[in-house]
Amino acid sequence: MESQGSCSVFDHVVRAPEDPILGVTVAYNKDQSPIKLNLGVGAYRTEEGKPLVLNVVRQAEQTLVNDKSRVKEYLPIVGLAEFNKQSAKLIFGSDSPAIQENRVTTVQCLSGTGSLRVGGEFLAWHYLERTIYIPVPTWGNHPKVFTLAGLSVKTYRYYDPATRGLDFQGMLEDLNSAPAGAIVLLHACAHNPTGVDPTLEQWEQIRQLIRLKGLLPFFDSAYQGFASGSLDSDAQSVRIFVADGGECLVAQSYAKNMGLYGERVGALSIVCKNADVAGRVESQLKLVIRPMYSNPPIHGASIVAMILRDRDMYNEWTIELKGMADRIISMRHQLFEALLARGTPGDWSHIIKQIGMFTFTGLNSEQVAFMTREYHIYMTSDGRISMAGLSSTTVPHLADAIHAAVTRVA
Ligand code: KET
């Protein structure tokens, strides 16, 4: 008999749960309440609660559109050459000896996620120790990206809930007992979700241990410029590792710092011992990319390349970026003050101490569920809130919700 409507070859397929982060937006979109507030996904909003396209990005796009000589031909497998060159300079520094010595290979990828995935697959193919250590907690997509890339995922201690700070001893102990050669995933700055970063002195100790043990650092840089407001300061962790002449990988995203979320612009750089190795590594990266998506999209990378190359546009970008970082910091202060004013039980100083887009509030999943149910506030169930989604007008509502959750839900 011909197959009928009720009988599908996919009948055994079970419904998968929504993504823990992007699923928050799905739930938010379904909510009809006028007071609803989305503090789930890390996406910058203005004081008016609107998504922001940077002026400098609009300007670059206009220039691109007006240039009739531009065509839509495929980019090379590794992406736009100027974009790759500028991206390496942005993260490693314009005077980086590693770049001058041609021992860095940079390939354009699909934002931060795509860069992590391409790097992960390359390592699964070509690196002997196929184990990657990720911090606890970390961005929820990390374990999935690396497992599907073919690596085995293990964890190292990072955050101490008791102090709401770095578990530095735990981190060092776990890295010290990792097998020689293991890969270590490090958040370059503005650790997601905790907002807790090592100090520069601690980074230096981490670097010494990693080099001593022959571990391979893989940096995820999704928030350069968002932590301190300075692109150079936020790249310090990466730069101390490159300065010692050792090897490492870096995944860069322009989603947040240039507001190019949906354009999917990012880069993977692999810093190698010498130019010869870098050339061979790049030839193999092409073999990873070609069957995955062939070559990356041209539009977003052209915007970034133009902004990074043009001194005036670059300066304008740094001003707009600082504006975003400052607004987030101001939200931290306003939320902290609002909780103080309400006499909300507990110590909330972590709200102003944490760094980057998120506050890791310490609220548990029941308290989060309560805030969503009673106050229409959407956030990830681990108690992370995106400070970039807040504004002066919504701070009181959030503070009321936190106060109620803490006093009424255990
Ligand atoms: N690394 C980290 C640490 C990170 O937080 C994100 C995104 C990414 C990489 C990937 O970003 P991309 O858009 O691929 O460049 N984090 C936010 C969005 C998401 O989950 O996709 C978030 O945590 O809300």
Side-chain angles (χ1 to χ4, degrees), residues 2-243:
E2 289 294 303
S3 58
Q4 297 293 305
S6 64
C7 174
S8 162
V9 293
F10 304 118
D11 269 340
H12 59 286
V13 174
V14 295
R15 180 169 302 278
E18 289 285 357
D19 181 80
I21 297 173
L22 301 183
V24 174
T25 303
V26 175
Y28 167 84
N29 287 338
K30 286 186 192 149
D31 189 328
Q32 298 294 320
S33 168
I35 56 162
K36 67 178 179 176
L37 184 57
N38 188 3
L39 305 177
V41 69
Y44 185 82
R45 297 284 179 271
T46 62
E47 259 293 296
E48 293 71 43
K50 299 270 188 312
L52 178 69
V53 179
L54 301 185
N55 281 326
V56 69
V57 166
R58 291 243 190 254
Q59 216 179 305
E61 285 191 308
Q62 203 55 59
T63 311
L64 292 173
V65 168
N66 292 343
D67 181 353
K68 296 293 179 243
S69 70
R70 288 184 53 81
V71 294
K72 303 287 189 190
E73 291 282 293
Y74 293 129
L75 284 179
I77 296 172
V78 296
L80 191 67
E82 182 69 18
F83 167 86
N84 290 336
K85 186 178 143 197
Q86 298 294 342
S87 293
K89 279 168 61 180
L90 183 68
I91 189 74
F92 301 122
S94 47
D95 54 355
S96 163
I99 297 177
Q100 281 153 18
E101 292 155 12
N102 283 323
R103 53 189 187 85
V104 183
T105 167
T106 304
V107 296
Q108 181 193 335
C109 296
L110 303 186
S111 216
T113 310
S115 307
L116 293 165
R117 180 68 185 262
V118 168
E121 298 226 355
F122 169 80
L123 292 169
W125 287 16
H126 297 287
Y127 188 62
L128 284 178
E129 180 51 77
R130 291 190 191 80
T131 308
I132 186 162
Y133 281 73
I134 61 174
V136 180
T138 193
W139 180 49
N141 214 15
H142 278 149
K144 301 171 202 175
V145 166
F146 293 123
T147 303
L148 287 172
L151 299 173
S152 131
V153 174
K154 296 226 169 78
T155 59
Y156 63 86
R157 277 170 285 172
Y158 187 82
Y159 177 76
D160 181 359
T163 61
R164 293 204 172 106
L166 184 67
D167 182 358
F168 189 50
Q169 279 321 312
M171 177 178 183
L172 293 181
E173 277 168 36
D174 289 351
L175 294 185
N176 192 41
S177 46
I183 308 153
V184 183
L185 188 280
L186 300 160
H187 294 230
C189 69
H191 182 275
N192 175 9
T194 66
V196 173
D197 285 349
T199 62
L200 252 188
E201 293 70 41
Q202 288 170 328
W203 272 120
E204 176 52 26
Q205 285 186 59
I206 295 165
R207 186 195 67 77
Q208 285 175 14
L209 177 62
I210 283 181
R211 292 313 190 198
L212 184 74
K213 295 267 315 179
L215 305 171
L216 180 62
F218 191 160
F219 284 95
D220 181 353
S221 176
Y223 299 94
Q224 190 183 356
F226 254 94
S228 67
S230 152
L231 288 157
D232 286 324
S233 306
D234 289 357
Q236 280 313 307
S237 57
V238 173
R239 290 181 191 173
I240 63 168
F241 277 79
V242 176

Side-chain angles (χ1 to χ4, degrees), residues 18 83 125 162 219-220 224 248 252 254 260 274 326 368-369 388:
E18 289 285 357
F83 167 86
W125 287 16
F219 284 95
D220 181 353
Q224 190 183 356
C248 69
Q252 275 170 280
Y254 290 97
L260 291 174
N274 58 54
D326 284 349
V368 171

